[in-house]
Amino acid sequence: MMAAKSDMFGDQTRESLLFRKGCSDFGFNDSGIVSDERRSKFRCFRFFSDGIVSTWKALYDLAASLYEMGRSDRRKVYFAVKMGVALALCSFVIYLKEPLHDASKYAVWAILTVVVVFEYSIGATLVKGFNRAIGTLSAGGLALGIARLSVLAGRFEEEIIIVSIFLAGLCASYLKLYPAMKSYEYAFRVFLLTFCIVLVSGNNSRDFFSTAYYRFLLICVGACICLGVNIFILPIWSGEDLHKLVVKNFKSVANSLEGCVNGYLQCVEYERIPSKILTYQASDDPLYSGYRSVVQSTSQEDSLLDFAVWEPPHGPYRTFHHPWANYVKLSGAVRHCAFMVMAMHGCILSEIQAAPEKRQAFRHELQRVGNEGAKVLRLFAEKVDKMEKLSLGNILKDVQRAAEDLQMKIDKNSFLLVNSESWAAMKEKADAEEAQENYHESKDDETKVFQTLSQIWDTNTNNHHQNPHNGNDSHLWVSTESNLLRNREQWPSVSFIGGNMINEIESKVYESASSLSLATFASLLIEFVARLQNVVNAFEELSTKAGFKEPVTETQKRIDKAGFWTILSSCFSSRA
């Protein structure tokens, strides 16, 4: 009995020990399975926690960027608020069942019109509304005529509707591809949509006229709400944006010009040229982004121009036919100058650079041209912004004089832009050749004189004595000429020169190329000054057509800045 109890106690103890050790009867370890389960649960928990944290961070970054966008340009916030107001007003009008009791089933067209037609600027809204009106009216009228024809056709009604829809889709889709019809592309889309809906829906309800009538009516309601809200509540004008864009282009080119000249004179070098600059993509480099924004603004200017011509007179633009196209023309003249700035930036990015001491030789002149050019561009920006005409006199006088001084400096120190040793050697060789040619010409003259005298005197004896001497002279002349020609034909060949000589030649070639880099930069800067005359011509044309005000004189500025008592005392003093 005691033995059985001891055996039972021993078995329980062994099982408990095995359980504590994590071993089974078969000798396998269960602790690994438990730890794997815990690890998998921990991984799942960490995966979900990391996902929640990353999602929250992404939402926070999105909210921060949206807030920054609204803070930098509050007109975007105004546009969103105006869209909500327009949709709310459209829904309110639809819920008024008395005037539009039968039109509730067509209410979606009013809301759809608000969503589609309501644009950021007033000009864009007017363009969209005009296209939608043209498409709706033309499609509605044509659809009603075909519907009447299909009803008269009897049993061929559906065939006529299908064929007419096919022809309408074919013609409209082909016509909108014509370049002159590009601005009316949205009108063609509305035409197809209205034409198909009126025919198909009217055929089902057998009421073509009511479908076309209520669709047109609700589209007019939505368009009127869009225009009213967009014009009378914090309006956003495309013409004003175009005006500001031209001013911005002037300032951007001025900043890039100063940056290029200062960077070149300070021998700024990129350790590694950014790949975005090499592939002409947007970059954070202010010098690069300045002229790039001007070059890339062509499409933005064209779209703003298309919208601005539709806008009514407003603010300082008080004429119905304001010359918006001249703003684009002026910006094109600035862009023509920006190409030179781009080329000058290319000199900074070039692999071959001029020596710093050579740049310093033209430092004053280059710096002066860059500063005067940037000053002129900023003055143009100020005049365009204030809509003022240019003052009397030549606005380009200082910058042109600076460019002339740079040209004279280059002409005076042209030896710095070439290989002076090769130039001196070539000059000495040319002088020697010229002296030798003069010597041979004099010998020819003497020979001709002797031959003429021998013919007159007809002295065969003297000719017999002079023949050996003349023969030696002719032989000497021929040998000298042959040597000269032989020297001209013997050009140096690199294949016969040793390695050290090759390195010396390569270094001299590189030195010459680096000097030409400085000449290229200076010539581009002079060309930039030459292109400023196009900007002056475009600005004068714009100021005349747009009716810019006369420039304010210095006396008028002092009077405006002076106080009341100063003006009053000056009046009394002038009378006395």
Side-chain angles (χ1 to χ4, degrees):
M1 187 73 179
M2 292 295 294
K5 287 182 180 181
S6 62
D7 293 339
M8 185 181 299
F9 179 77
D11 294 338
Q12 291 178 355
T13 304
R14 184 171 60 86
E15 291 177 358
S16 61
L17 291 174
L18 290 174
F19 178 76
R20 290 176 183 176
K21 291 181 180 179
C23 299
S24 62
D25 292 337
F26 299 97
F28 295 104
N29 191 355
D30 294 335
S31 60
I33 300 174
V34 175
S35 61
D36 290 341
E37 292 178 354
R38 289 179 179 177
R39 284 178 188 151
S40 61
K41 291 180 180 180
F42 178 75
R43 288 174 183 171
C44 293
F45 175 76
R46 186 170 183 178
F47 174 77
F48 284 112
S49 63
D50 291 343
I52 294 172
V53 171
S54 60
T55 303
W56 173 257
K57 186 178 180 181
L59 292 175
Y60 179 80
D61 294 340
L62 177 62
S65 60
L66 291 175
Y67 174 77
E68 183 63 25
M69 181 184 70
R71 193 177 66 86
S72 60
D73 189 1
R74 298 197 175 186
R75 297 187 304 170
K76 297 179 180 180
V77 180
Y78 300 156
F79 168 71
V81 173
K82 289 193 295 182
M83 172 64 83
V85 171
L87 289 173
L89 286 177
C90 185
S91 303
F92 176 75
V93 172
I94 291 172
Y95 284 138
L96 296 176
K97 300 192 182 214
E98 287 299 328
L100 299 174
H101 179 70
D102 297 332
S104 59
K105 59 182 178 180
Y106 303 106
V108 66
W109 296 114
I111 297 176
L112 185 62
T113 301
V114 173
V115 173
V116 174
V117 172
F118 199 92
E119 290 291 337
Y120 184 74
S121 64
I122 295 175
T125 303
L126 289 172
V127 171
K128 275 288 188 71
F130 178 75
N131 285 330
R132 192 167 182 83
I134 289 180
T136 302
L137 286 175
S138 58
L142 184 61
L144 288 176
I146 294 178
R148 182 61 180 171
L149 180 63
S150 64
V151 170
L152 295 177
R155 62 190 183 91
F156 296 104
E157 177 181 359
E158 295 181 354
E159 286 78 2
I160 291 177
I161 291 176
I162 292 174
V163 172
S164 62
I165 289 176
F166 168 76
L167 293 177
L170 174 65
C171 296
S173 300
Y174 186 74
L175 285 175
K176 73 178 182 180
L177 298 178
Y178 188 65
M181 298 293 179
K182 183 180 179 181
S183 57
Y184 302 100
E185 181 181 1
Y186 181 67
F188 284 107
R189 294 181 182 274
V190 174
F191 171 83
L192 289 177
L193 184 63
T194 304
F195 185 81
C196 296
I197 287 177
V198 169
L199 285 180
V200 175
S201 300
N203 185 44
N204 294 331
S205 61
R206 310 303 299 174
D207 192 2
F208 296 98
F209 180 77
S210 62
T211 301
Y213 170 74
Y214 282 115
R215 174 175 168 79
F216 176 73
L217 179 62
L218 290 173
I219 286 177
C220 290
V221 169
C224 291
I225 291 174
C226 287
L227 292 177
V229 172
N230 214 347
I231 292 176
F232 296 106
I233 301 178
L234 300 173
I236 301 173
W237 305 96
S238 297
E240 184 178 354
D241 291 342
L242 178 60
H243 188 182
K244 293 180 179 179
L245 179 61
V246 175
V247 175
K248 179 184 175 183
N249 287 345
F250 274 105
K251 295 180 180 179
S252 299
V253 177
N255 295 333
S256 295
L257 175 63
E258 279 188 341
C260 279
V261 175
N262 293 333
Y264 191 78
L265 294 178
Q266 295 172 5
C267 300
V268 174
E269 295 183 3
Y270 290 83
E271 295 181 359
R272 186 180 64 85
I273 301 176
S275 59
K276 291 184 178 180
I277 295 180
L278 295 176
T279 55
Y280 198 63
Q281 298 179 2
S283 177
D284 297 333
D285 188 358
L287 193 154
Y288 166 76
S289 60
Y291 67 78
R292 183 182 182 276
S293 64
V294 179
V295 175
Q296 293 290 105
S297 64
T298 305
S299 58
Q300 186 179 1
E301 292 171 4
D302 293 338
S303 62
L304 290 175
L305 175 62
D306 294 339
F307 300 149
V309 295
W310 285 84
E311 294 177 346
H314 59 280
Y317 323 105
R318 299 177 181 177
T319 57
F320 277 96
H321 300 286
H322 195 75
W324 297 114
N326 288 95
Y327 284 90
V328 178
K329 184 178 180 180
L330 178 61
S331 184
V334 179
R335 190 176 300 108
H336 195 55
C337 297
F339 292 145
M340 292 294 99
V341 180
M342 181 189 298
M344 285 188 280
H345 189 216
C347 292
I348 298 178
L349 301 177
S350 176
E351 295 290 338
I352 300 176
Q353 297 290 334
E357 56 271 12
K358 291 188 177 181
R359 302 188 197 188
Q360 297 302 319
F362 302 94
R363 178 183 182 84
H364 177 70
E365 288 74 15
L366 291 173
Q367 188 78 53
R368 184 184 170 196
V369 175
N371 293 338
E372 293 295 336
K375 180 180 177 181
V376 169
L377 291 176
R378 291 193 177 97
L379 181 59
F380 273 117
E382 181 182 358
K383 293 294 184 180
V384 174
D385 189 20
K386 296 181 179 180
M387 300 183 70
E388 287 184 357
K389 293 183 179 180
L390 294 175
S391 303
L392 296 177
N394 186 10
I395 191 176
L396 302 179
K397 180 177 64 175
D398 294 337
V399 67
Q400 288 176 349
R401 184 176 299 171
E404 290 176 359
D405 293 342
L406 176 60
Q407 285 181 319
M408 294 176 64
K409 187 66 173 291
I410 292 175
D411 183 66
K412 184 178 180 181
N413 299 323
S414 58
F415 60 90
L416 296 175
L417 305 179
V418 296
N419 191 346
S420 57
E421 296 179 359
S422 299
W423 180 264
M426 291 176 63
K427 187 176 181 181
E428 291 177 359
K429 184 177 181 181
D431 294 339
E433 292 176 356
E434 185 178 359
Q436 196 169 8
E437 288 178 358
N438 293 332
Y439 173 76
H440 293 318
E441 289 178 359
S442 63
K443 283 292 184 181
D444 289 338
D445 294 338
E446 292 178 1
T447 304
K448 292 178 181 178
V449 170
F450 291 153
Q451 289 178 356
T452 306
L453 291 174
S454 64
Q455 292 175 1
I456 294 173
W457 296 336
D458 195 14
T459 55
N460 295 327
T461 307
N462 293 333
N463 290 336
H464 178 73
H465 291 290
Q466 291 176 357
N467 279 336
H469 182 69
N470 291 336
N472 294 334
D473 285 345
S474 62
H475 179 71
L476 180 62
W477 162 251
V478 172
S479 62
T480 307
E481 183 179 8
S482 62
N483 289 332
L484 181 62
L485 292 174
R486 192 178 301 113
N487 291 333
R488 288 183 180 179
E489 293 175 356
Q490 288 178 354
W491 297 97
S493 178
V494 180
S495 60
F496 297 102
I497 302 176
N500 296 330
M501 200 66 176
I502 293 177
N503 295 332
E504 184 179 355
I505 292 176
E506 288 181 353
S507 63
K508 290 183 178 180
V509 169
Y510 182 84
E511 182 180 358
S512 300
S514 64
S515 301
L516 290 177
S517 173
L518 176 58
T520 301
F521 187 87
S523 62
L524 290 173
L525 192 57
I526 295 172
E527 177 63 22
F528 174 86
V529 176
R531 295 188 178 190
L532 287 177
Q533 187 61 44
N534 299 328
V535 180
V536 175
N537 298 336
F539 179 84
E540 290 179 348
E541 183 180 357
L542 171 62
S543 61
T544 302
K545 291 184 178 180
F548 283 5
K549 58 186 178 182
E550 295 295 330
V552 181
T553 60
E554 294 295 332
T555 305
Q556 187 64 32
K557 289 181 180 179
R558 293 195 202 98
I559 293 174
D560 294 339
K561 292 181 180 180
F564 172 75
W565 295 109
T566 305
I567 298 174
L568 186 62
S569 61
S570 63
C571 291
F572 281 111
S573 62
S574 62
R575 289 182 181 179

